[in-house]
Amino acid sequence: MGETFAFTAALWPWRAKQQVWTFLTVPEGISDDVEGRQSDLRRGFGAVKVRVTVGTSTWDTSMFPSKENAAYILPIKAAVRKAEGLELYDAVDVHIELIAV
């Protein structure tokens, strides 16, 4: 198992053309810790593979560094938001496990 982190963060929208994606921002301290654990081999966009748990939902995805937020951002799938009854701007308890560094 990889390193795990738990935190609470609010959902926010990111709009691109006709689509709206939902993200949350990983706290700066955790983002700094994750960044420090990365190998010299970088994935596209600096993505980090993680296993995420929100409520009873668990899935594998990638989180991405955001210069604008000075932290990693994590996409939250529509299926998870629906299953967990989440809306934009809700505060969400999140557990992430690094599955590839």
Side-chain angles (χ1 to χ4, degrees), residues 32-55:
D32 290 346
D33 196 5
V34 169
E35 177 67 21
R37 295 173 187 278
Q38 298 309 299
S39 67
D40 290 335
L41 300 174
R42 296 292 179 157
R43 289 179 176 72
F45 304 106
V48 176
K49 291 188 68 92
V50 292
R51 180 161 295 128
V52 182
T53 301
V54 171

Side-chain angles (χ1 to χ4, degrees), residues 6-97:
F7 58 93
T8 301
L11 297 174
W12 52 268
W14 181 74
R15 291 173 174 80
K17 299 182 183 180
Q18 301 290 329
Q19 297 180 346
V20 177
W21 298 82
T22 302
F23 287 87
L24 56 76
T25 304
V26 177
E28 190 175 335
I30 294 173
S31 291
D32 290 346
D33 196 5
V34 169
E35 177 67 21
R37 295 173 187 278
Q38 298 309 299
S39 67
D40 290 335
L41 300 174
R42 296 292 179 157
R43 289 179 176 72
F45 304 106
V48 176
K49 291 188 68 92
V50 292
R51 180 161 295 128
V52 182
T53 301
V54 171
T56 60
S57 301
T58 300
W59 72 101
D60 292 352
T61 190
S62 295
M63 58 186 193
F64 307 91
S66 167
K67 289 182 183 180
E68 181 179 325
N69 295 310
Y72 282 94
I73 58 174
L74 178 67
I76 304 297
K77 301 184 330 181
V80 171
R81 295 191 316 272
K82 182 177 180 181
E84 300 299 328
L86 300 172
E87 301 289 336
L88 282 177
Y89 308 108
D90 283 351
V92 179
D93 293 327
V94 180
H95 290 71
I96 58 173
E97 176 187 355

